[in-house]
């Protein structure tokens, strides 16, 4: 099992030796390695059992650390980082030669973000290389929103998890690409809502042939081990008899399911609270003595859109 603690120095030792460690961010825990070390990058893919075709996000402590990693830094990208960073926004930018093709799956764009967590920011400020960090879970499994989730999923394969407490946003970063001076395309819904982005840029939702594929947006991702079902309880009873049903509610309990098998995302119906609780609730339901997890509809406004996106993918048939 991995050691868990708050020792930044210890995390740095492993990272400097091309090792990988769990790190806290405001979105989900990351599995971090030196972005300039081929050995560390390959180790990340191996530990997660992730195909090399799924590129990694590069994490930096501040805006000025981005300059050497890119060949172009459009004003709109700077404006958006200024507005939302440190925070859950990832922007695709043309990569410089400092970024290995292994990080980007040979794409000429690198995904960059500045995470908002005091421990990880201190860590990033203390080293002279950026960190590549996918979510610290096995490929396709539920994302980790606490150090214990990381321990449960990857503890046997990594030496250390930096414990920064529960993640305060709870949804992965929103990934965008700059289209031109004032337009962006959202490639993955996440911790910054479209409504927030629209305060600074026009969103391009048009269909296009050369839209970059973001593997985290494949169907069947972010999945618990138990089947997750978005239908009504009547559909569940029709097709899954006999069955012990668990329930992930938005703000109110389901009258036909035992209360001990239910978890509410936010009793007061607050979207940010619901996002914060999402992965923890799914991890918890996965451990209960139930056969399937029924999910209530989530209003698709603000962060609700990203929450619903995760639930849809978690419910998709595997394999
Ligand atoms: O909030 C987050 O973004 C978390 C924390 C740890 O920072 N990280 C995260 O990483 O969610 P991951 O690897 O689980 O998801 C990152 C997504 C992947 O689906 C990947 O395909 C996409 O970002 N991505 C990374 N680099 C890319 C690139 N150069 N072009 C297109 N998509 C890219
Ligand atoms: Mg992930």
């Amino acid at each position: 099992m991995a050691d868990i603690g708050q020792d930044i120095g210890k995390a740095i030792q492993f990272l400097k030796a091309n090792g990988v460690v769990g790190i806290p961010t405001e979105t989900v825990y990351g599995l971090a390695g030196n972005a300039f070390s081929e050995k560390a990058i390959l180790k990340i893919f191996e530990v997660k059992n992730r195909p090399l075709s799924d590129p990694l996000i590069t994490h930096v402590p501040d805006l000025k650390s981005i300059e050497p990693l890119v060949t172009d830094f459009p004003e709109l990208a700077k404006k958006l980082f200024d507005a939302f960073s440190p925070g859950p926004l990832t922007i695709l930018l043309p990569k410089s030669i400092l970024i290995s093709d292994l990080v980007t799956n040979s794409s000429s764009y690198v995904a960059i973000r500045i995470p908002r967590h005091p421990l990880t920011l201190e860590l990033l400020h203390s080293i002279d290389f950026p960190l590549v960090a996918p979510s610290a879970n096995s490929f396709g499994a539920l994302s980790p929103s606490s150090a214990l989730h990381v321990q449960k999923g990857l503890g046997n394969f990594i030496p250390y998890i930096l414990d920064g407490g529960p993640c305060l946003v709870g949804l992965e970063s929103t990934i965008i690409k700059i289209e031109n001076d004032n337009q962006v395309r959202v490639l993955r819904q996440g911790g910054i809502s479209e409504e927030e982005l629209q305060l600074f840029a026009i969103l391009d939702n048009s269909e296009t042939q050369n839209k970059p594929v973001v593997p985290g947006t494949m169907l069947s991702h972010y999945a618990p081990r138990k089947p997750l079902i978005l239908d009504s309880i009547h559909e569940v009873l029709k097709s899954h008899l006999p069955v012990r049903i668990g329930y992930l509610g938005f703000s109110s309990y389901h009258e036909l399911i035992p209360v001990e098998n239910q978890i509410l995302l936010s009793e007061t119906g607050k979207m940010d609270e619901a996002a914060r609780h999402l992965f923890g609730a799914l991890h918890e339901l996965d451990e209960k003595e139930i056969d399937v997890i029924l999910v209530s509809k989530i209003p698709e406004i603000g962060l609700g859109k990203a929450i619903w996106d995760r639930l849809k993918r978690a419910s998709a048939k595997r394999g």
Side-chain angles (χ1 to χ4, degrees), residues 1-3 20 31 43 46-47 138 148-161:
M1 282 305 199
D3 279 343
V20 297
L31 177 65
K43 180 103 195 164
E46 180 193 317
V47 166
S138 288
L148 278 180
H149 294 159
V150 182
Q151 180 75 292
K152 205 169 71 175
L154 301 181
N156 286 335
F157 311 106
I158 60 177
Y160 193 61
I161 302 166

Side-chain angles (χ1 to χ4, degrees), residues 14-239:
F14 287 116
L15 291 167
K16 283 193 169 160
N18 302 311
V20 297
V21 296
I23 58 162
T25 85
E26 79 285 22
T27 60
V28 299
Y29 273 70
L31 177 65
N34 178 350
F36 296 155
S37 157
E38 192 157 297
K39 202 165 156 199
I41 298 166
L42 288 173
K43 180 103 195 164
I44 288 175
F45 284 101
E46 180 193 317
V47 166
K48 272 186 68 92
N49 199 9
R50 169 164 164 147
L52 286 167
S53 56
D54 193 350
L56 305 176
I57 295 177
T58 299
H59 297 66
V60 296
D62 47 32
L63 267 183
K64 72 175 187 309
S65 316
I66 296 176
E67 304 276 356
L69 307 178
V70 302
T71 56
D72 183 31
F73 200 169
E75 279 311 309
L76 180 55
K78 287 185 186 152
K79 197 166 99 179
L80 290 168
F81 274 133
D82 267 340
F84 297 114
S85 288
L89 181 70
T90 296
I91 306 185
L92 293 193
L93 295 168
K95 81 176 187 72
S96 77
I97 49 164
L98 288 182
I99 298 287
S100 156
D101 276 346
L102 273 178
V103 169
T104 66
N105 181 31
S106 300
S107 159
S108 55
Y109 284 84
V110 56
I112 298 188
R113 93 175 189 96
I114 306 171
R116 189 179 67 224
H117 191 289
L119 278 184
T120 291
L121 279 175
E122 192 182 332
L123 169 64
L124 283 165
H125 276 294
S126 314
I127 51 184
D128 56 3
F129 48 86
L131 293 176
V132 275
S135 50
N137 52 339
S138 288
F139 186 65
L142 269 181
S143 296
S145 55
S146 72
L148 278 180
H149 294 159
V150 182
Q151 180 75 292
K152 205 169 71 175
L154 301 181
N156 286 335
F157 311 106
I158 60 177
Y160 193 61
I161 302 166
L162 194 58
D163 187 355
C167 300
L168 293 181
V169 173
L171 284 172
E172 290 86 348
S173 59
T174 300
I175 304 179
I176 62 168
K177 185 159 190 276
I178 307 289
E179 302 268 277
N180 59 41
D181 290 349
N182 59 359
Q183 278 198 340
V184 303
R185 177 177 287 277
V186 175
L187 301 177
R188 178 178 73 180
Q189 301 280 346
I192 300 291
S193 68
E194 291 192 345
E195 289 87 337
E196 286 174 284
L197 285 173
Q198 271 166 335
L199 299 174
F200 297 87
I202 295 168
L203 301 191
D204 182 356
N205 293 317
S206 63
E207 286 303 318
T208 144
Q209 290 277 300
N210 51 17
K211 183 171 154 188
V213 177
V214 181
T217 57
M218 291 179 307
L219 270 180
S220 187
H221 217 84
Y222 311 103
R225 291 186 302 269
K226 301 216 165 92
L228 195 96
I229 296 173
L230 307 182
D231 288 325
S232 74
I233 190 166
H234 306 290
E235 290 301 315
V236 178
L237 291 174
K238 245 189 331 203
S239 51

